[in-house]
């Protein structure tokens, strides 16, 4: 889902930075899932990362 949002944002704005930021979030999400975090922990971590960007 994040990849789709990133791609659509890039297509609409032409901003590669937006695309790269959203793909970084996708990578964070994958990493956390591999580390066994629960869905609630995952959402919290993503929210924290988004606030930092």
């Amino acid at each position: 889902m994040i990849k789709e949002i990133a791609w659509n944002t890039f297509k609409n704005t032409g901003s590669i930075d937006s695309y790269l930021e959203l793909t970084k979030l996708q990578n964070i999400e994958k990493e956390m899932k591999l580390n066994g975090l629960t869905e609630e922990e995952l959402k919290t971590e993503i929210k924290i990362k988004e606030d930092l960007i």
Side-chain angles (χ1 to χ4, degrees):
M1 181 173 127
I2 292 176
K3 186 175 182 178
E4 184 178 317
I5 293 169
W7 180 247
N8 287 335
T9 300
F10 173 68
K11 286 193 310 186
N12 291 333
T13 66
S15 173
I16 191 69
D17 293 328
S18 297
Y19 178 78
L20 293 174
E21 287 178 12
L22 290 167
T23 55
K24 285 180 191 177
L25 288 175
Q26 183 182 30
N27 291 336
I28 291 167
E29 184 179 51
K30 285 180 186 177
E31 182 181 318
M32 289 178 175
K33 284 182 181 177
L34 290 175
N35 291 333
L37 295 178
T38 65
E39 189 69 25
E40 188 63 32
E41 291 170 327
L42 181 61
K43 288 178 184 177
T44 301
E45 290 294 325
I46 290 174
K47 176 70 174 136
I48 290 169
K49 299 287 183 182
E50 287 174 342
D51 290 343
L52 293 176
I53 294 177

